[in-house]
């Protein structure tokens, strides 16, 4: 791919990255960052597998931000990886999602390294933000 194309894509996804980062999510962009985080993680983590698609923009990101902001119970860590952009980081994070097909966008609640709740694209796409927020906050109440 040309450098011009790569730079164009980096610019296009900046606001998509910023939406979660500005809401307190830590973005892991390399395989090493994911390994370092997962090797030392304690407590609970909400992981958002971000994406450029419309259901990420209109549903997943707004639902994740709303759920975290409005829930009485909050994960200890908020993490995001970006599918299609940070491929190695996303691939490494997905290694921890044992038993779940790769899906983007998607959301996982982890207790330590174990996935205790997973929301695949199928439970995001064609649902409304309120349903996804409810899915997350119900899981927060159960697992956090």
């Amino acid at each position: 791919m040309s450098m011009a194309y790569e730079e164009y894509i980096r610019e296009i996804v900046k606001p998509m990255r910023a939406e979660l980062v500005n809401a307190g999510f830590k973005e892991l962009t390399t395989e090493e960052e994911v390994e370092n985080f997962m090797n030392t993680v304690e407590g609970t983590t909400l992981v958002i597998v971000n994406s450029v698609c419309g259901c990420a923009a209109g549903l997943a990101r707004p639902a994740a931000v709303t759920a975290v902001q409005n829930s009485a119970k909050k994960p200890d860590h908020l993490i995001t990886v970006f599918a299609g952009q940070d491929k190695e980081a996303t691939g490494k994070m997905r290694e921890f999602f044992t038993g779940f097909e790769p899906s983007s966008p998607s959301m996982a609640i982890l207790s330590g390294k174990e996935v205790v709740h997973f929301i695949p694209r199928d439970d995001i796409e064609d649902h409304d933000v309120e349903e996804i927020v409810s899915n997350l906050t119900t899981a927060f109440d159960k697992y956090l």
Side-chain angles (χ1 to χ4, degrees), residues 72-84:
K73 293 185 175 183
K74 300 183 187 324
D76 298 314
H77 310 280
L78 303 172
I79 298 295
T80 182
V81 293
F82 207 117

Side-chain angles (χ1 to χ4, degrees), residues 11-52:
E11 287 300 313
I12 292 295
V13 301
K14 276 184 181 178
M16 298 172 201
R17 292 177 182 276
E19 187 172 358
L20 291 174
V21 171
N22 291 342
F25 285 79
K26 179 177 180 177
E27 187 173 45
L28 304 180
T29 60
T30 67
E31 186 174 348
E32 293 76 25
E33 288 176 339
V34 172
E35 285 177 357
N36 290 338
F37 176 80
M38 293 302 290
N39 285 336
T40 60
V41 68
E42 294 182 6
T44 57
T45 304
L46 172 61
V47 178
I48 305 299
V49 178
N50 201 354
S51 175
V52 298

Side-chain angles (χ1 to χ4, degrees), residues 82-100:
F82 207 117
Q85 302 302 304
D86 303 320
K87 294 175 185 171
E88 292 82 13
T90 303
K92 179 52 76 175
M93 183 60 75
R94 284 178 171 154
E95 289 178 13
F96 293 94
F97 299 168
T98 305
F100 299 97

Side-chain angles (χ1 to χ4, degrees), residues 22 33 45 60 78 87-88 105 110 117 121 127 133 136 138-139:
N22 291 342
E33 288 176 339
T45 304
L78 303 172
K87 294 175 185 171
E88 292 82 13
L110 286 71
H117 188 75
R121 179 186 179 109
H127 292 267
V133 169
L136 277 172
T138 299

Side-chain angles (χ1 to χ4, degrees), residues 125-141:
E125 191 174 41
D126 297 326
H127 292 267
D128 59 39
V129 170
E130 293 78 18
E131 289 174 302
I132 303 162
V133 169
S134 178
N135 187 335
L136 277 172
T137 56
T138 299
F140 289 172
D141 288 342

